[in-house]
Amino acid sequence: MMSRSLCFLFMSLGAGLHLKPVLSGPRLAYRGSQVQFECKVPDWLSPLTFELWKDTEGLIATEHNINVTFDLQVTEGSEGEYSCRVTNGGLSSNTIPFQTVIPVLGARVSADPHPPLLYEGQKLVLRCEVRKGTHLSFSWFHNQQQVNPSSGLYRINADTLTVDSAGERHAGIYSCMAENQVTVNPRFSSSPNIQVIVKKHISQLSASLWVWWDGAALQANISCAVASGSPPLLFTLLLDGRQLEQKHVDALSSSFSVPILMGQDLGSARCRAQTDTRTLLSDPVHLHVVPVGGAVHVMLTYLHDVNAMTEAALLKCVPERGTFPQFSWSVNHSSLPAGGDAHAVSDRGQILILTDINSGYYRCCVRDSFNESSVWLESAEVFVQRTDPALPSMEVIALVFCGFLSMVIVGGSIFMFWNIERKNHTCKQHSNQCVQTDRVIVNAPAADVSPEPQTLEMKAVIMEFEA
């Protein structure tokens, strides 16, 4: 009996020197959970003593059985590489890297710049931060739609979303979601929303002037406006470089009032618009109001198409002077409305366009637009009529063509008759030459006895006459 036990112990010890166990178990687990590692020798049916080893602590547990299970309470210090082996110097198993996962908690978005208010072209960086959590993956949402990293509108790197050059399309509501990268029982945390505002740069500042009567004095109204941009803006009125007034407005335009006297030159006014990033200055506006006066003239221009047909007539009313004129038109002593089927006005009524020309006498009247009690000044009447060129009828065209053809025929006949008479006269003056030529023809040997005419000899006679 003693010999059998010694033999079994010897066999176990000898086998332990050559057996290689296999370790299986998780690679990730939440902190505070319990995990199990199993160690066994494949195809081994006898109990063995197994040891569980950790790379940073050495031997941490032993178990005796055919297959053994090691229970482990997960803490932050549980991270490391684990292996097992059979006692008495057996071979080590495979290693399992184990990591402790801290459940994610308290996700939020931080922005640079902060607060996330920026102008077009500036850089925006958003980060998804968590109060706790390890082994995380991140997802981003813009206006409740998940951001596609390959869209080209953003650059996403781990917990960071970057916009290199912000535009209006990047404005909106952003949020992020952080999730533990655990296959079983994943946990996540969503951040509160954060609003990103992308503002436009101001551009094209303009200044305009109009005057009005407030019942006691004449007032000049200078209106300042930008073509595009994002409020708020700071508008400043400058007069010959001196600051007169400033206004902070939540709009793209503002206006200023300045008392003014008729005929007095106050100088040049400018508008200035400012934001955090840009300052614009308008072109100058001359503060000099001249009343309407002097002679009034009407300039008439006819407009024709490619066929020289009159398409329209353009009448322009030109007073000798006046800064803010008001215009009125009449035809045949009847007032014309501002618009109609056959006419239209433009340039604040200064230009009258007649699209359907009816002959008549036209006149314009002008006065100061800011003074309803001012006197209308009238121009002389201008007669307007359609001036289309008279087009010939088909009968006239046919008659002219026939007359021209008859003249060609008669002229050609006269020329031929004159030419024949001239040739006969020339022949009489040179009778010897003609007789000699006839002799040559008569005495010439016959080239052909056929009854056909001698065409070649006749040609010779004709050529002699032409010479």
Side-chain angles (χ1 to χ4, degrees):
M1 189 70 173
M2 179 65 69
S3 61
R4 288 182 180 179
S5 299
L6 292 175
C7 182
F8 177 77
L9 178 61
F10 176 77
M11 292 175 61
S12 298
L13 292 175
L17 297 176
H18 303 284
L19 296 176
K20 183 177 177 63
V22 176
L23 179 67
S24 60
R27 294 175 177 269
L28 294 172
Y30 288 112
R31 182 183 60 184
S33 63
Q34 190 173 23
V35 296
Q36 294 179 333
F37 290 95
E38 183 182 13
C39 187
K40 65 179 181 179
V41 176
D43 302 326
W44 186 261
L45 302 179
S46 300
L48 295 172
T49 301
F50 295 93
E51 302 172 346
L52 181 64
W53 291 73
K54 184 183 177 185
D55 59 345
T56 58
E57 299 181 16
L59 179 63
I60 58 174
T62 60
E63 293 288 343
H64 182 77
N65 207 333
I66 298 176
N67 298 328
V68 298
T69 300
F70 298 99
D71 295 325
L72 180 65
Q73 188 71 26
V74 179
T75 65
E76 291 185 15
S78 300
E79 289 193 348
E81 292 188 351
Y82 290 83
S83 62
C84 70
R85 63 187 180 188
V86 179
T87 56
N88 301 323
L91 300 177
S92 294
S93 70
N94 57 295
T95 60
I96 295 179
F98 181 79
Q99 294 179 319
T100 300
V101 179
I102 300 176
V104 64
L105 184 66
R108 70 180 188 91
V109 177
S110 65
D112 181 20
H114 179 76
L117 189 154
L118 61 159
Y119 283 88
E120 289 179 320
Q122 291 184 324
K123 185 176 182 179
L124 172 67
V125 178
L126 301 179
R127 290 184 176 86
C128 190
E129 300 176 347
V130 297
R131 191 164 68 248
K132 294 180 181 179
T134 58
H135 302 88
L136 301 175
S137 62
F138 300 90
S139 300
W140 286 95
F141 299 87
H142 180 205
N143 294 332
Q144 300 181 346
Q145 300 293 323
Q146 186 169 357
V147 173
N148 183 2
S150 61
S151 66
L153 297 177
Y154 316 90
R155 287 192 296 110
I156 297 179
N157 183 15
D159 61 345
T160 303
L161 181 146
T162 304
V163 176
D164 293 314
S165 181
E168 281 188 303
R169 58 186 175 180
H170 295 109
I173 304 298
Y174 286 83
S175 64
C176 72
M177 183 179 71
E179 183 178 2
N180 291 116
Q181 292 179 311
V182 179
T183 303
V184 180
N185 190 25
R187 302 181 187 183
F188 62 88
S189 175
S190 295
S191 72
N193 292 332
I194 183 173
Q195 184 174 11
V196 174
I197 299 175
V198 180
K199 303 177 70 174
K200 282 186 175 182
H201 289 290
I202 56 175
S203 64
Q204 298 181 11
L205 174 62
S206 62
S208 59
L209 170 68
W210 60 277
V211 296
W212 55 284
W213 183 262
D214 64 358
L218 195 62
Q219 300 286 334
N221 185 284
I222 298 97
S223 178
C224 308
V226 295
S228 63
S230 298
L233 278 75
L234 173 63
F235 285 102
T236 304
L237 177 63
L238 304 174
L239 183 60
D240 290 334
R242 295 179 292 107
Q243 179 177 316
L244 291 186
E245 190 177 354
Q246 279 189 334
K247 289 184 180 180
H248 286 272
V249 296
D250 192 20
L252 299 180
S253 62
S254 185
S255 60
F256 302 90
S257 294
V258 177
I260 192 171
L261 295 177
M262 186 75 72
Q264 183 181 8
D265 191 348
L266 296 183
S268 296
R270 286 177 180 262
C271 294
R272 185 174 65 199
Q274 294 174 274
T275 63
D276 298 336
T277 60
R278 187 165 293 184
T279 299
L280 299 179
L281 193 65
S282 73
D283 292 332
V285 175
H286 197 195
L287 296 184
H288 186 202
V289 179
V290 177
V292 170
V296 181
H297 303 279
V298 174
M299 300 174 61
L300 173 62
T301 304
Y302 290 100
L303 306 178
H304 301 89
D305 61 12
V306 294
N307 298 318
M309 299 291 292
T310 302
E311 288 291 327
L314 187 148
L315 295 87
K316 183 175 182 180
C317 187
V318 183
E320 187 175 326
R321 60 179 178 271
T323 308
F324 294 98
Q326 179 182 351
F327 301 93
S328 176
W329 291 91
S330 64
V331 55
N332 298 328
H333 306 288
S334 298
S335 178
L336 272 177
D341 296 335
H343 72 277
V345 294
S346 66
D347 200 10
R348 296 177 298 177
Q350 185 178 9
I351 296 177
L352 173 65
I353 303 173
L354 303 177
T355 55
D356 186 7
I357 300 176
N358 293 318
S359 298
Y361 292 91
Y362 289 79
R363 183 197 305 271
C364 80
C365 302
V366 59
R367 72 175 183 182
D368 291 318
S369 62
F370 52 83
N371 186 1
E372 294 184 357
S373 62
S374 60
V375 178
W376 288 97
L377 300 182
E378 294 184 348
S379 71
E381 290 184 333
V382 174
F383 183 65
V384 179
Q385 63 178 343
R386 181 175 290 277
T387 58
D388 293 339
L391 297 178
S393 63
M394 291 301 298
E395 292 79 0
V396 174
I397 295 175
L399 183 61
V400 171
F401 177 76
C402 292
F404 175 76
L405 184 61
S406 300
M407 292 175 61
V408 171
I409 295 174
V410 172
S413 301
I414 293 174
F415 175 77
M416 292 177 61
F417 178 76
W418 174 81
N419 192 36
I420 292 173
E421 289 294 325
R422 183 180 65 84
K423 289 180 178 180
N424 292 334
H425 180 70
T426 303
C427 183
K428 291 178 180 179
Q429 290 181 347
H430 303 281
S431 56
N432 294 332
Q433 182 179 355
C434 294
V435 172
Q436 182 65 29
T437 303
D438 291 341
R439 290 176 181 174
V440 172
I441 297 174
V442 172
N443 296 329
D448 191 355
V449 295
S450 67
E452 295 295 327
Q454 299 296 323
T455 304
L456 182 60
E457 295 175 357
M458 290 296 294
K459 286 184 180 179
V461 172
I462 293 173
M463 290 177 64
E464 189 66 36
F465 271 108
E466 291 182 349

